[in-house]
Amino acid sequence: MAIQWFPGHMAKARRQVTEKIKLIDVVIELVDARVPQSSRNPIVDEITAGKPRLIVLNKADMADPAVTDAWLKAFKRDDVEVVAVDSKHSKGLKQLMTGAEKLMKDKHDRMREKGRNPGPIRALIIGIPNVGKSTLINRLAGRNIAITGDRPGVTKRQQWIKMKGGEMELLDTPGILWPKFEDQLVGYRLAATGAIKDEILNLDDIALYTARELRTRYPEQLKDRFKLEELPEDAVELLELIGKKRGLISGGYVDFEKASELLLNELRHEKIGRISLETPADHELA
Ligand code: G4P
């Protein structure tokens, strides 16, 4: 979903999410397991204050499992449960339900003591575009639901979607938040994983950032994929070498744009392996 965020849109999105949060028991905050901190939105803490939160590291199938484990621990708090999920292949959904039940346990126990039936957990999925909100809702519901964002001028009654098994109900329109572009590194991480469109940042810059990161974090996977014996220190040379290896030559020179596209495509389609582009230690959260 391509959304251009302007200050007016941000204010509106914040208002819409705040309104929905009043209706629910648990906030399900979806982040990209490959870039869990960069795919969060800075206002989430503020607008969800007081509600128990389940942080879902989605697309865990594409992320480095060891790094995902570190994030599971780093985000854990008393009122925050954290789970890793692969929505596309319906993996981790049981843990997600268990996480939501854990968050509600005390409240539900108190209700039962008073002879009241707590009923299903009411939840709202929130997250930046492309993080997998629609996919997760469909998987939890066990059927395909046409999920639309909030449209300007259209006031629509909120609908609850019953989950398979009936233990949870989700609001049918997820809360869409804007990514935080202020920090350039955050922008590169989101662009490298395909969360934001390539046109927003310069393609060469995204590819150079990616080459540098892969060289530092996953040198062996990079060597394997592109059959490189050594990895040049310089990111431009590295990208040129990758282009050369794949025969992306035009007029006697490496076609830098094609080499950039190739590297990003291979990363986004998991050809280089399971990659995470940030760790809790990068954010002093470890
Ligand atoms: P959104 O509602 O938050 O905007 O995201 P959406 O569900 O539309 O998902 C965006 C893309 O991410 C989709 O790919 C979707 O298949 C993919 N995706 C979502 N969850 C996961 C996951 O856990 N693992 C993996 N590997 N991919 C996931 P797409 O290329 O846009 O569509 P499609 O080719 O899958 O149809």
Side-chain angles (χ1 to χ4, degrees):
M1 190 188 301
I3 299 179
Q4 287 287 334
W5 292 103
F6 300 107
H9 293 144
M10 294 183 183
K12 184 154 183 267
R14 174 198 284 255
R15 217 166 36 239
Q16 281 167 336
V17 174
T18 309
E19 283 303 309
K20 287 176 188 163
I21 281 176
K22 290 182 193 153
L23 307 171
I24 52 131
D25 302 310
V26 171
V27 177
I28 300 180
E29 181 191 358
L30 218 55
V31 300
D32 187 321
R34 298 165 296 173
V35 286
Q37 184 70 12
S38 295
S39 55
R40 300 185 84 189
N41 178 289
I43 67 157
V44 164
D45 288 333
E46 182 199 320
I47 58 176
T48 61
K51 293 279 178 185
R53 190 168 358 153
L54 182 62
I55 299 180
V56 174
L57 305 172
N58 194 39
K59 307 196 185 184
D61 54 310
M62 301 177 88
D64 178 338
V67 178
T68 298
D69 277 347
W71 281 111
L72 288 171
K73 293 188 189 97
F75 281 149
K76 177 79 187 86
R77 300 272 179 280
D78 281 348
D79 57 348
V80 177
E81 289 293 326
V82 199
V83 292
V85 164
D86 163 5
S87 296
K88 193 165 182 168
H89 310 98
S90 297
K91 294 208 175 116
L93 303 186
K94 274 214 182 82
Q95 287 94 310
L96 186 154
M97 269 315 302
T98 310
E101 278 161 4
K102 257 193 210 162
L103 289 168
M104 294 305 295
K105 187 175 181 311
D106 288 352
K107 191 174 169 198
H108 283 184
D109 283 351
R110 281 197 301 274
M111 288 173 84
R112 285 194 192 96
E113 273 164 27
K114 289 183 190 153
R116 286 166 57 195
N117 174 7
I121 299 170
R122 293 199 143 176
L124 170 71
I125 292 185
I126 60 173
I128 64 171
N130 231 2
V131 73
K133 297 180 295 300
S134 315
T135 309
L136 179 61
I137 294 177
N138 283 327
R139 296 302 184 268
L140 285 171
R143 63 202 149 96
N144 278 343
I145 294 161
I147 293 152
T148 51
D150 294 294
R151 295 213 193 102
V154 179
T155 32
K156 174 172 157 285
R157 216 167 65 85
Q158 302 283 354
Q159 306 266 0
W160 293 99
I161 303 173
K162 280 201 171 42
M163 299 297 101
K164 275 187 294 189
E167 303 92 342
M168 189 154 76
E169 286 183 357
L170 286 176
L171 266 187
D172 66 341
T173 45
I176 303 173
L177 297 169
W178 59 96
K180 41 174 184 180
F181 291 114
E182 307 95 70
D183 178 346
Q184 207 177 34
L185 206 51
V186 169
Y188 285 139
R189 287 184 182 127
L190 293 175
T193 51
I196 59 173
K197 291 205 170 299
D198 288 341
E199 299 84 67
I200 294 176
L201 297 170
N202 179 300
L203 182 76
D204 293 352
D205 289 342
I206 307 167
L208 286 173
Y209 156 79
T210 304
R212 226 173 278 126
E213 288 293 304
L214 292 175
R215 188 190 182 288
T216 313
R217 296 178 196 265
Y218 299 97
E220 293 312 315
Q221 277 159 266
L222 195 58
K223 280 186 194 165
D224 275 2
R225 178 66 193 167
F226 298 103
K227 308 208 166 24
L228 308 173
E229 269 156 36
E230 293 300 324
L231 298 177
E233 286 273 344
D234 182 66
V236 175
E237 280 175 37
L238 175 55
L239 206 50
E240 272 177 353
L241 193 57
I242 289 172
K244 218 182 267 172
K245 281 275 175 184
R246 292 295 178 88
L248 303 174
I249 311 286
S250 150
Y253 294 97
V254 170
D255 186 328
F256 210 79
E257 195 176 321
K258 286 222 171 87
S260 297
E261 279 169 3
L262 174 95
L263 180 67
L264 293 171
N265 252 322
E266 302 236 331
L267 174 76
R268 292 171 190 163
H269 292 96
E270 243 191 296
K271 304 280 192 229
I272 309 172
R274 296 175 71 174
I275 303 283
S276 294
L277 291 173
E278 63 185 350
T279 66
D282 295 330
H283 296 274
E284 292 173 2
L285 291 168

